[in-house]
Structure formats: C-alpha cells, structure tokens
Amino acid sequence: MRTCHNRNRTTVLGAATAVLALALTACGAEGTGTKEAGPANGSAPVAASVGSSRSTASVTTGDAVQAATVKTRTAEAGGNNDTDSYAYKHPCAIEKLSVHVTGRPGAPTQRVIKVRNTGASACGLSYYPRVSLGNSHAPDHSHDVLPLVPGGLGGAPAYPVHAGHTAYAVIDLDPSGATTGTVPGIDEMNVLADGDHMPNAATLNFPLGSGAKVLKPKLGLYRSTIADAVRSMTQADTQS
C-alpha cells in the first residue's frame, strides 16, 4: 500500500506541475509575444501577406497586359496616321489647310504658294495647285491665263503633307522679265490647293495688285522647301 501511495502522489505532483507550466505559458503569451509566434496566430498574418503580394502582382501584371493589348489593337485599327502611306489614301480637306500667297524677296515676278496642314494627320495633295490668273472684276473667267507646269509626272499617288508641315509651290508670272507684250488687266491669282480632289468652290483668290505683268507664267510642283519649289518651277514646260 505504501508503494502505491507514493505512485499516486508522484502522479498528482506531475499533473500539478504540468498545469502550472501550462498556466505560466498562457500568462507569458499575453505579455511576451509568444502568442504571435504560435501556429494559430502566426499563420494568419503570413497568409494575408502572401495573399496581398499575389493580389498586387496580379493587378500590376493585368494592367500591363491590358495596356499592351489596347496599344496593339489601336495600332492594328488605325496605325500611325502621320505617314506618307496614310497621306496617299487620305486627300487633304480644305478645312484642314491654311493657304497663303506671298512675294519672294529678290524675285519680283515670283509668288510663293504656302499650303500648311493644320490637321492632326498626314494628307495628300495633287502634285501642284491648280492656278489661274485673271481679272477680279471679270464676269467670265474662262479666258484666265493658265501657267505651264512640269511634264512627265508619275510616281506616288499624291504629294504627302505631314501634320503641321507646309508644302510650297512657286509661280513666276513673267519668267522672261518682259515689260511689253504682257497680258493686260490681270490683278488676281486663283488657287485651288488640290485640283484632283477639291471642288471649284474651294478656290481661293489672292490679289496681285494693279500693274502686275503676266506673260507665259510657270508653276512648279509642291516641294518641302522654297528653294526646291523654285527649281521645279524652272522645269515647267507643259500647259496645265
């Protein structure tokens, strides 16, 4: 019986010790951070953190893919609309052009026709503007003087003008510089920026002033610089 009593006492003491240790652990958990290290409480923040990172990465990747897709679709649908190839398929509209005529310093018989593309896309013009010279008060302009233009034209379907750029054409009213034999009464130049696609109603009138001398005028092709436009004008040999 004594031996049995000792065994029961040992068992009771062991159980008490275990309860005390458990109680101490629980008390220490609230003040020492043990609770954060426990499996039940530690796994949740880690899982949330991983889940958050994955969610962010997924959103970031998704945005990039979506942006790339939109860019690709835009390129496929419209592409770059400020290229020569785009201009060949899209004639210029008079509403998207600014047309001016100015004199050329050092060349009193010459005029510079400036056609600026004010739109956001490239567009195409005819090889040269349609120009006639006449009297602003004449009821009938069927007898207006038409200039010579360069012959043997061919190549691209239009002269491309990129957005914000200017096409230049130069006309010499009196290439020979003659003071006699000139056509009387001419005081106006009529300009249609694109004679291939625009209606006659889009023709603009520019005064030349009284006393303008006109004799066998020459008109050059559209060019990107005035100097090139002048060189083209000197090659005019065909009636427009």
Side-chain angles (χ1 to χ4, degrees), residues 55-97:
S55 175
T56 301
S58 176
V59 170
T60 301
T61 303
D63 289 345
V65 171
Q66 184 177 7
T69 302
V70 171
K71 184 176 181 180
T72 301
R73 287 177 178 174
T74 300
E76 291 176 350
N80 189 341
N81 61 357
D82 197 26
T83 63
D84 286 1
S85 58
Y86 186 90
Y88 296 151
K89 299 176 182 179
H90 297 81
C92 295
I94 190 62
E95 296 81 7
K96 297 295 181 66
L97 299 177

Side-chain angles (χ1 to χ4, degrees), residues 78 98 154 166 185 193 214:
S98 173
T166 301
V214 176

Side-chain angles (χ1 to χ4, degrees), residues 20 29 32 75 150 189 221:
L20 179 60
T32 62
M189 181 164 67
L221 306 178

Side-chain angles (χ1 to χ4, degrees), residues 148-169:
L148 298 176
V149 296
L153 303 179
Y159 179 83
V161 188
H162 290 212
H165 287 223
T166 301
Y168 301 94

Side-chain angles (χ1 to χ4, degrees), residues 99-238:
V99 182
H100 297 281
V101 173
T102 63
R104 182 167 173 254
T109 62
Q110 295 181 12
R111 300 292 185 273
V112 180
I113 301 169
K114 303 177 181 180
V115 180
R116 181 175 178 81
N117 180 357
T118 59
S121 305
C123 63
L125 292 170
S126 50
Y127 288 166
Y128 53 84
R130 181 184 295 172
V131 176
S132 65
L133 304 160
N135 187 288
S136 58
H137 303 290
D140 179 12
H141 289 275
S142 61
H143 299 291
D144 284 1
V145 178
L146 303 179
L148 298 176
V149 296
L153 303 179
Y159 179 83
V161 188
H162 290 212
H165 287 223
T166 301
Y168 301 94
V170 171
I171 183 171
D172 195 329
L173 306 177
D174 183 11
S176 66
T179 56
T180 59
T182 57
V183 182
I186 293 182
D187 63 357
E188 182 179 69
M189 181 164 67
N190 310 302
V191 178
L192 182 61
D194 186 338
D196 291 343
H197 302 95
M198 293 180 181
N200 290 333
T203 300
L204 301 175
N205 312 112
F206 298 91
L208 294 175
S210 59
K213 291 180 171 54
V214 176
L215 182 63
K216 298 180 180 178
K218 290 185 176 183
L219 171 67
L221 306 178
Y222 278 126
R223 290 292 182 258
S224 60
T225 67
I226 295 176
D228 284 346
V230 170
R231 280 190 285 271
S232 175
M233 177 271 295
T234 62
Q235 299 172 7
D237 57 3
T238 304

